[in-house]
Coordinates of all heavy atoms in Angstrom, one line a residue:
L239 N -18.9 -5.5 0.7 CA -20.3 -5.7 0.4 C -20.6 -5.1 -0.9 O -20.1 -4.0 -1.3 CB -21.2 -5.0 1.5 CG -21.0 -5.5 2.9 CD1 -22.0 -4.7 3.8 CD2 -21.2 -6.9 3.1
D240 N -21.5 -5.8 -1.7 CA -21.9 -5.3 -3.0 C -23.4 -5.3 -3.1 O -24.0 -6.4 -3.3 CB -21.2 -6.2 -4.1 CG -21.4 -5.5 -5.5 OD1 -22.3 -4.7 -5.7 OD2 -20.6 -5.9 -6.4
R241 N -24.0 -4.2 -3.0 CA -25.5 -4.1 -3.0 C -26.1 -4.2 -4.4 O -27.3 -4.2 -4.6 CB -25.9 -2.8 -2.4 CG -25.6 -2.8 -0.9 CD -26.0 -1.5 -0.2 NE -25.6 -1.4 1.2 CZ -26.3 -1.8 2.2 NH1 -27.5 -2.3 1.9 NH2 -25.9 -1.7 3.4
R242 N -25.3 -4.4 -5.4 CA -25.8 -4.6 -6.8 C -26.1 -6.0 -7.1 O -26.7 -6.3 -8.1 CB -24.8 -4.1 -7.8 CG -24.3 -2.6 -7.6 CD -23.1 -2.3 -8.5 NE -22.0 -3.2 -8.2 CZ -20.9 -3.4 -9.0 NH1 -20.9 -2.8 -10.1 NH2 -20.0 -4.3 -8.6
M243 N -25.7 -6.9 -6.2 CA -25.8 -8.4 -6.5 C -27.2 -8.8 -6.8 O -28.2 -8.3 -6.1 CB -25.3 -9.2 -5.3 CG -23.8 -9.2 -5.1 SD -23.4 -10.3 -3.7 CE -21.7 -10.5 -4.0
N244 N -27.3 -9.6 -7.8 CA -28.7 -10.2 -8.1 C -29.7 -9.2 -8.3 O -30.8 -9.2 -7.7 CB -29.0 -11.2 -7.0 CG -30.2 -12.1 -7.4 OD1 -30.5 -12.3 -8.5 ND2 -30.9 -12.7 -6.4
D245 N -29.4 -8.1 -9.1 CA -30.3 -7.0 -9.3 C -30.7 -6.3 -8.1 O -31.8 -5.9 -7.9 CB -31.5 -7.4 -10.1 CG -31.1 -7.9 -11.6 OD1 -30.2 -7.3 -12.1 OD2 -31.8 -8.8 -12.1
G246 N -29.8 -6.3 -7.1 CA -30.0 -5.6 -5.8 C -30.6 -6.4 -4.8 O -30.8 -6.0 -3.6
A247 N -31.0 -7.7 -5.1 CA -31.6 -8.6 -4.1 C -30.5 -9.2 -3.2 O -30.9 -9.8 -2.2 CB -32.4 -9.7 -4.8
G248 N -29.3 -9.2 -3.6 CA -28.2 -9.8 -2.8 C -27.9 -11.2 -3.3 O -28.3 -11.6 -4.4
N249 N -27.1 -11.9 -2.5 CA -26.7 -13.2 -2.9 C -27.9 -14.1 -3.2 O -28.8 -14.2 -2.3 CB -25.8 -13.9 -1.8 CG -24.4 -13.3 -1.8 OD1 -23.7 -13.3 -2.8 ND2 -24.0 -12.7 -0.7
A250 N -27.9 -14.8 -4.3 CA -29.0 -15.6 -4.7 C -29.2 -16.8 -3.7 O -30.4 -17.3 -3.6 CB -28.8 -16.1 -6.1
Y251 N -28.2 -17.2 -3.0 CA -28.3 -18.4 -2.2 C -28.6 -18.0 -0.7 O -28.7 -18.9 0.1 CB -27.0 -19.2 -2.3 CG -25.8 -18.4 -2.1 CD1 -25.2 -18.2 -0.8 CD2 -25.1 -17.9 -3.2 CE1 -24.1 -17.5 -0.6 CE2 -23.9 -17.2 -3.0 CZ -23.4 -17.0 -1.7 OH -22.3 -16.2 -1.6
I252 N -28.8 -16.7 -0.5 CA -29.2 -16.3 0.9 C -30.7 -16.0 1.0 O -31.2 -15.2 0.2 CB -28.4 -15.1 1.3 CG1 -26.9 -15.4 1.4 CG2 -28.8 -14.6 2.7 CD1 -26.5 -16.4 2.4
N253 N -31.3 -16.6 1.9 CA -32.8 -16.3 2.1 C -32.9 -15.0 3.0 O -32.5 -15.0 4.2 CB -33.4 -17.5 2.9 CG -34.9 -17.2 3.1 OD1 -35.4 -16.1 3.0 ND2 -35.6 -18.3 3.4
P254 N -33.3 -13.9 2.4 CA -33.4 -12.7 3.2 C -34.3 -12.7 4.4 O -34.2 -11.9 5.3 CB -33.9 -11.6 2.1 CG -34.6 -12.4 1.1 CD -33.9 -13.7 1.0
N255 N -35.2 -13.7 4.4 CA -36.1 -13.8 5.5 C -35.5 -14.5 6.7 O -36.0 -14.5 7.8 CB -37.4 -14.6 5.1 CG -38.2 -13.8 4.1 OD1 -38.3 -12.6 4.2 ND2 -38.8 -14.5 3.2
R256 N -34.3 -15.0 6.5 CA -33.6 -15.8 7.6 C -32.3 -15.2 7.9 O -32.0 -14.8 9.0 CB -33.5 -17.2 7.2 CG -34.9 -17.9 7.1 CD -34.9 -19.3 7.7 NE -33.9 -20.1 7.1 CZ -33.0 -20.8 7.8 NH1 -33.0 -20.7 9.1 NH2 -32.2 -21.6 7.3
L257 N -31.4 -15.2 6.9 CA -30.0 -14.7 7.2 C -29.7 -13.4 6.6 O -28.7 -12.7 7.0 CB -29.0 -15.8 6.8 CG -29.1 -17.1 7.5 CD1 -28.0 -18.0 7.0 CD2 -29.0 -16.9 9.0
G258 N -30.4 -13.0 5.6 CA -30.1 -11.7 4.9 C -31.1 -10.7 5.3 O -32.3 -11.0 5.5
A259 N -30.7 -9.4 5.2 CA -31.6 -8.3 5.5 C -31.0 -7.0 4.9 O -29.8 -7.0 4.7 CB -31.8 -8.2 7.0
E260 N -31.8 -6.0 4.7 CA -31.3 -4.8 4.3 C -30.6 -4.0 5.4 O -29.7 -3.2 5.2 CB -32.5 -3.9 3.8 CG -33.0 -4.3 2.5 CD -32.1 -4.0 1.3 OE1 -31.1 -3.3 1.5 OE2 -32.4 -4.5 0.2
E261 N -30.9 -4.3 6.6 CA -30.3 -3.7 7.8 C -30.0 -4.7 8.8 O -30.6 -5.8 8.8 CB -31.2 -2.6 8.4 CG -31.5 -1.4 7.4 CD -32.4 -0.4 8.0 OE1 -32.8 -0.6 9.1 OE2 -32.6 0.7 7.4
G262 N -29.2 -4.4 9.8 CA -28.9 -5.3 10.9 C -27.8 -6.3 10.5 O -27.1 -6.1 9.4
H263 N -27.5 -7.3 11.3 CA -26.4 -8.2 11.1 C -26.5 -8.9 9.7 O -25.5 -9.3 9.1 CB -26.3 -9.2 12.2 CG -26.1 -8.6 13.5 ND1 -25.4 -7.4 13.7 CD2 -26.5 -8.9 14.8 CE1 -25.3 -7.1 15.0 NE2 -26.0 -8.0 15.6
G264 N -27.7 -9.2 9.3 CA -27.9 -10.0 8.1 C -27.3 -9.4 6.8 O -27.0 -10.1 5.8
V265 N -27.1 -8.1 6.8 CA -26.5 -7.4 5.6 C -25.2 -8.0 5.2 O -24.8 -8.0 4.1 CB -26.5 -5.9 5.8 CG1 -25.4 -5.5 6.8 CG2 -26.3 -5.2 4.5
G266 N -24.4 -8.4 6.2 CA -23.1 -9.0 6.0 C -23.1 -10.3 5.2 O -22.2 -10.6 4.5
W267 N -24.2 -11.0 5.3 CA -24.4 -12.2 4.5 C -25.1 -11.9 3.2 O -24.7 -12.5 2.1 CB -25.1 -13.3 5.3 CG -24.4 -13.7 6.5 CD1 -23.1 -14.3 6.5 CD2 -24.8 -13.7 7.8 NE1 -22.7 -14.5 7.8 CE2 -23.7 -14.2 8.6 CE3 -25.9 -13.2 8.4 CZ2 -23.8 -14.2 10.0 CZ3 -26.0 -13.3 9.8 CH2 -25.0 -13.8 10.6
R268 N -26.1 -11.1 3.2 CA -26.9 -10.8 2.0 C -26.1 -10.2 0.9 O -26.2 -10.6 -0.3 CB -28.0 -9.9 2.4 CG -28.9 -9.6 1.2 CD -30.2 -8.9 1.6 NE -31.1 -8.7 0.5 CZ -32.3 -8.2 0.6 NH1 -32.8 -7.9 1.8 NH2 -33.1 -8.0 -0.5
Y269 N -25.1 -9.3 1.2 CA -24.4 -8.6 0.2 C -22.9 -9.0 0.2 O -22.1 -8.3 -0.4 CB -24.6 -7.1 0.4 CG -26.0 -6.7 0.1 CD1 -26.8 -6.2 1.2 CD2 -26.6 -6.7 -1.1 CE1 -28.1 -5.8 1.0 CE2 -27.9 -6.3 -1.4 CZ -28.6 -5.9 -0.3 OH -29.9 -5.5 -0.5
G270 N -22.5 -9.9 1.0 CA -21.1 -10.3 1.1 C -20.5 -10.7 -0.2 O -21.1 -11.5 -0.9
A271 N -19.4 -10.1 -0.6 CA -18.8 -10.3 -1.9 C -17.4 -10.8 -1.7 O -16.7 -10.6 -0.7 CB -18.8 -9.0 -2.7
C272 N -16.8 -11.4 -2.8 CA -15.5 -12.0 -2.8 C -14.5 -10.8 -3.1 O -14.3 -10.5 -4.3 CB -15.4 -13.1 -3.7 SG -13.7 -13.9 -3.7
F273 N -13.9 -10.3 -2.1 CA -13.0 -9.1 -2.3 C -12.0 -9.4 -3.4 O -11.7 -8.5 -4.3 CB -12.3 -8.8 -1.0 CG -11.3 -7.7 -1.1 CD1 -11.6 -6.4 -1.1 CD2 -9.9 -8.1 -1.2 CE1 -10.6 -5.4 -1.1 CE2 -8.9 -7.1 -1.2 CZ -9.3 -5.8 -1.2
Y274 N -11.4 -10.6 -3.5 CA -10.3 -10.9 -4.4 C -10.7 -10.9 -5.8 O -9.9 -10.7 -6.7 CB -9.7 -12.2 -4.0 CG -9.5 -12.4 -2.5 CD1 -10.3 -13.4 -1.8 CD2 -8.6 -11.7 -1.8 CE1 -10.1 -13.5 -0.5 CE2 -8.4 -11.8 -0.4 CZ -9.2 -12.8 0.2 OH -9.0 -12.9 1.6
E275 N -12.0 -11.0 -6.1 CA -12.5 -11.1 -7.5 C -12.7 -9.7 -8.1 O -13.1 -9.7 -9.3 CB -13.7 -11.9 -7.5 CG -13.5 -13.4 -7.2 CD -14.8 -14.2 -7.3 OE1 -15.9 -13.6 -7.1 OE2 -14.7 -15.4 -7.7
Y276 N -12.4 -8.7 -7.4 CA -12.7 -7.3 -7.9 C -11.4 -6.7 -8.5 O -11.4 -5.5 -8.8 CB -13.3 -6.4 -6.8 CG -14.7 -6.8 -6.5 CD1 -15.2 -8.0 -6.1 CD2 -15.7 -5.8 -6.8 CE1 -16.5 -8.3 -5.9 CE2 -17.1 -6.1 -6.6 CZ -17.4 -7.4 -6.1 OH -18.8 -7.7 -6.0
F277 N -10.4 -7.5 -8.7 CA -9.1 -7.0 -9.3 C -9.0 -7.5 -10.7 O -9.6 -8.5 -11.1 CB -8.0 -7.5 -8.4 CG -7.9 -6.9 -7.1 CD1 -8.6 -7.5 -6.0 CD2 -7.1 -5.8 -6.9 CE1 -8.5 -6.9 -4.7 CE2 -7.0 -5.2 -5.6 CZ -7.7 -5.8 -4.5
P278 N -8.1 -6.9 -11.5 CA -7.8 -7.5 -12.8 C -7.2 -8.9 -12.7 O -6.8 -9.3 -11.6 CB -6.7 -6.5 -13.3 CG -6.9 -5.3 -12.6 CD -7.4 -5.6 -11.2
A279 N -7.3 -9.7 -13.8 CA -7.0 -11.1 -13.7 C -5.8 -11.5 -13.0 O -5.8 -12.4 -12.2 CB -7.1 -11.6 -15.2
E280 N -4.6 -10.8 -13.3 CA -3.4 -11.3 -12.7 C -3.4 -11.2 -11.2 O -3.0 -12.1 -10.5 CB -2.2 -10.4 -13.3 CG -0.9 -10.9 -12.8 CD 0.3 -10.1 -13.4 OE1 0.0 -9.2 -14.3 OE2 1.4 -10.3 -13.0
T281 N -3.8 -10.0 -10.7 CA -3.9 -9.9 -9.2 C -5.0 -10.8 -8.6 O -4.7 -11.4 -7.6 CB -4.2 -8.4 -8.9 OG1 -3.2 -7.6 -9.5 CG2 -4.2 -8.2 -7.4
R282 N -6.1 -10.8 -9.3 CA -7.2 -11.7 -8.8 C -6.7 -13.1 -8.6 O -6.9 -13.7 -7.6 CB -8.4 -11.6 -9.8 CG -9.5 -12.6 -9.4 CD -10.4 -12.8 -10.6 NE -9.8 -13.5 -11.6 CZ -10.0 -13.4 -12.9 NH1 -11.0 -12.5 -13.3 NH2 -9.4 -14.0 -13.8
D283 N -6.1 -13.7 -9.6 CA -5.7 -15.1 -9.6 C -4.6 -15.3 -8.5 O -4.5 -16.3 -7.9 CB -5.1 -15.5 -10.9 CG -6.2 -15.5 -12.0 OD1 -7.4 -15.5 -11.6 OD2 -5.9 -15.6 -13.2

């Protein structure tokens, strides 16, 4: 999870009033990040 996304608002394509939330189950969608993209280029690819 990355709470910095979209200036802290979370994934831009998730509606926080429906699937995203600061707390509860929705946090997994609101701030869900692609783990593999957090590595340097060789490992990421």
